[in-house]
Amino acid sequence: MHAANLLIDYYDRLPASIAACVDDLEPVRSDIGFSPGYHLPALDADVERFLSVATARWEPLGEYGEHRLTLLDLTGNPATGTTKTFASLMIVARAVEYIRRYGEAVTIFSPTSANKGVALRDAVLRAIEAGLVRPDQLRTVILAPGSCLAKLRSSRLSTDPELRELNPMLVYNGPEPEQVKALGRAFADKYAGDLRAKGENLWYSLDLANYLVADTARAYFEHAVSPVTGPRLHAHAVSSAFGLLGYHRGRDVLEDSGSSSPEHRPASLLVQHLGTPDMVLNLRNGSFERANLPEYALADGLYRQSADPRFPALTYDPDEVLDPTFYTHRPATSPSMNAIIERAGGDGIVVSLAECVARYPQVRELLAGTGCELPADFRRLREWSLVMALTGVLNAVDRGLADDWRDVVVHGSGRYTSADYTPLEAEAMTEVATVEDVAAVVCR
């Protein structure tokens, strides 16, 4: 097993990562859009304390069939249990540096299915507790769908009255969870100028580049502990595949510097669920249309199909939502991911809850002793990302979809149970339905 802090240990490489992801490092300071730029604070003791939870582990899992399995564990921050920690810390670090340079307050505003919001709130709290900023200088506003309430966590941002008021948690209970993105965008477009006039910069942080930079360090870590010398496949449970896209930008940096060869670029396996199989559909068919799903027939209480090995052989419901975290339809990242797979190889596979439950004892045994142990009772799981990814890999191996790759690296992007956190208090949430509802909370 190898371990590293992906942000501290590779801090000197982050400028190259930033250059690979964006064209302009400078802030955008206007009434119609704000970004703090991509300058980072110097790595002093306080910044190191702030970044100390950005840990990763490279953990061999043994063999399955003819394949060596390795876990890239990205769940080491106990306050989040997900890989969203890394990008959130980078987002907040950039905001901290902007505040120091310009003396202006920043409010990070983000729609989320849940995990990103939890991680942003944790990163803001860490910055405050590390003494990098005052609570009135940096705050975050999170907008999440009601379907994901069980994933939201209590912290000092919700239990401390002052921090709770500065960092509101907004909940949207409309019929389409992904509508939080449109609602958030509409609010930012209408009210960013008003807030800037009051001396507060509203940063709508959903831009893809905000989430790529930190994930480049996955490639640096892999190169340090297990350089790629032969066929290798990286598997990841994805909604928009930000993590894999960031990893491949890191590969770009390694290849451009001559540290690694393009011919050794690993392939990618996209793992999705039936609720939003959009990236796999688009990869295989060039379309997001669900009409391209195989036809399922009900037999013995389960829906079954055998026409396409890239989709569940059985499911309780062809329209099930295995985990509401994966909620993005028609992701704008599909063309970029498709191009990477066309160049370096790979595939996509969709898993069902029934398949994850059937594989659960096997997956639990694979993860025993890794620090990513699973509870005996799968009903305690609140984040299925890692189980989805491993189920997808095992299914892909059994169905001959991974024959070209001896080594398989599974990105452990999320795993937590009901015992790992205290749910967010009801008094820390505000229900919103319209742009004016959001404004009533954020602009008061």
Side-chain angles (χ1 to χ4, degrees):
M1 190 271 289
H2 300 275
N5 184 298
L6 295 192
L7 299 183
I8 294 175
D9 294 349
Y10 302 107
Y11 207 73
D12 61 334
R13 289 195 174 189
L14 293 180
S17 296
I18 292 169
C21 296
V22 301
D23 296 324
D24 188 354
L25 306 185
E26 298 308 312
V28 175
R29 307 169 72 199
S30 75
D31 292 346
I32 60 173
F34 170 82
S35 165
Y38 285 84
H39 297 287
L40 299 176
L43 189 62
D44 59 20
D46 290 338
V47 172
E48 286 198 358
R49 182 154 65 98
F50 165 67
L51 297 174
S52 63
V53 291
T55 57
R57 294 183 305 115
W58 185 268
E59 183 85 44
L61 297 180
E63 297 201 359
Y64 183 71
E66 300 298 318
H67 302 268
R68 288 189 295 263
L69 305 183
T70 300
L71 172 67
L72 174 56
D73 176 21
L74 303 164
T75 68
N77 179 4
T80 70
T82 73
T83 188
K84 299 301 184 183
T85 284
F86 302 93
S88 297
L89 290 172
M90 285 295 295
I91 286 170
V92 168
R94 290 163 52 201
V96 165
E97 182 62 12
Y98 178 89
I99 291 166
R100 289 176 170 180
R101 290 188 180 205
Y102 296 95
E104 298 174 355
V106 174
T107 295
I108 303 171
F109 182 76
S110 182
T112 177
S113 60
N115 291 335
K116 180 171 39 180
V118 168
L120 274 171
R121 285 169 64 84
D122 177 61
V124 167
L125 181 59
R126 292 188 63 80
I128 293 168
E129 292 182 336
L132 302 182
V133 289
R134 301 190 311 269
D136 63 306
Q137 293 177 308
L138 176 65
R139 64 188 189 121
T140 186
V141 179
I142 301 299
L143 173 61
S147 58
C148 295
L149 281 185
K151 290 173 174 275
L152 301 177
R153 300 182 176 213
S154 171
S155 73
R156 274 191 63 218
L157 289 195
S158 61
T159 60
D160 180 284
E162 178 189 3
L163 293 177
R164 182 170 64 239
E165 183 171 357
L166 287 169
N167 299 275
M169 182 71 237
L170 309 179
V171 177
Y172 172 75
N173 283 314
E176 294 295 332
E178 197 179 2
Q179 186 64 21
V180 295
K181 295 179 182 177
L183 178 58
R185 179 75 269 173
F187 165 75
D189 288 345
K190 185 171 182 179
Y191 283 98
D194 292 349
L195 287 166
R196 183 158 177 79
K198 297 177 182 178
E200 185 172 1
N201 296 290
L202 184 72
W203 183 14
Y204 186 78
S205 63
L206 282 195
D207 184 72
L208 173 60
N210 294 331
Y211 294 90
L212 295 181
V213 174
D215 289 326
T216 61
R218 302 186 193 187
Y220 307 153
F221 181 42
E222 175 188 40
H223 186 67
V225 302
S226 182
V228 186
T229 57
R232 182 174 292 179
L233 178 68
H234 278 245
H236 203 311
V238 302
S239 184
S240 298
F242 285 2
L244 275 178
L245 286 168
Y247 164 80
H248 281 285
R249 291 292 177 93
R251 289 291 311 179
D252 290 341
V253 173
L254 292 172
E255 292 166 11
D256 290 346
S257 68
S259 300
S260 187
S261 169
E263 68 184 28
H264 290 148
R265 174 79 65 117
S268 302
L269 180 68
L270 308 176
V271 182
Q272 296 200 281
H273 71 145
L274 281 165
T276 49
D278 296 45
M279 295 196 80
V280 175
L281 285 171
N282 193 263
L283 174 68
R284 301 305 308 173
N285 303 289
S287 166
F288 295 118
E289 298 304 321
R290 289 184 70 88
N292 291 312
L293 285 168
E295 186 174 343
Y296 283 87
L298 184 62
D300 301 323
L302 289 171
Y303 291 87
R304 303 175 186 272
Q305 67 87 25
S306 58
D308 192 335
R310 293 173 177 84
F311 291 87
L314 54 88
T315 178
Y316 302 127
D317 178 359
D319 295 316
E320 72 184 10
V321 175
L322 198 168
D323 190 315
T325 298
F326 301 91
Y327 73 155
T328 302
H329 292 282
R330 300 177 177 271
T333 50
S334 271
S336 296
M337 200 66 236
N338 292 350
I340 288 171
I341 290 176
E342 182 178 358
R343 187 181 84 178
D347 212 326
I349 193 166
V350 178
V351 299
S352 68
L353 178 60
E355 289 177 333
C356 289
V357 169
R359 291 281 193 187
Y360 192 82
Q362 185 179 15
V363 170
R364 185 168 179 251
E365 184 176 358
L366 281 172
L367 294 173
T370 66
C372 282
E373 290 84 1
L374 297 176
D377 185 348
F378 63 80
R379 290 173 296 181
R380 291 174 54 200
L381 270 186
R382 292 295 177 268
E383 174 59 47
W384 284 79
S385 297
L386 179 53
V387 173
M388 285 172 59
L390 275 166
T391 298
V393 165
L394 300 179
N395 285 352
V397 169
D398 287 350
R399 297 171 190 175
L401 301 178
D403 289 352
D404 292 340
W405 303 284
R406 169 76 166 121
D407 288 328
V408 180
V409 176
V410 181
H411 290 235
S413 58
R415 183 214 64 89
Y416 52 82
T417 75
S418 58
D420 293 327
Y421 63 99
T422 300
L424 186 68
E425 300 82 4
E427 59 269 26
M429 306 179 216
T430 302
E431 185 172 344
V432 297
T434 68
V435 167
E436 302 310 320
D437 291 341
V438 177
V441 177
V442 181
C443 301
R444 62 190 178 191

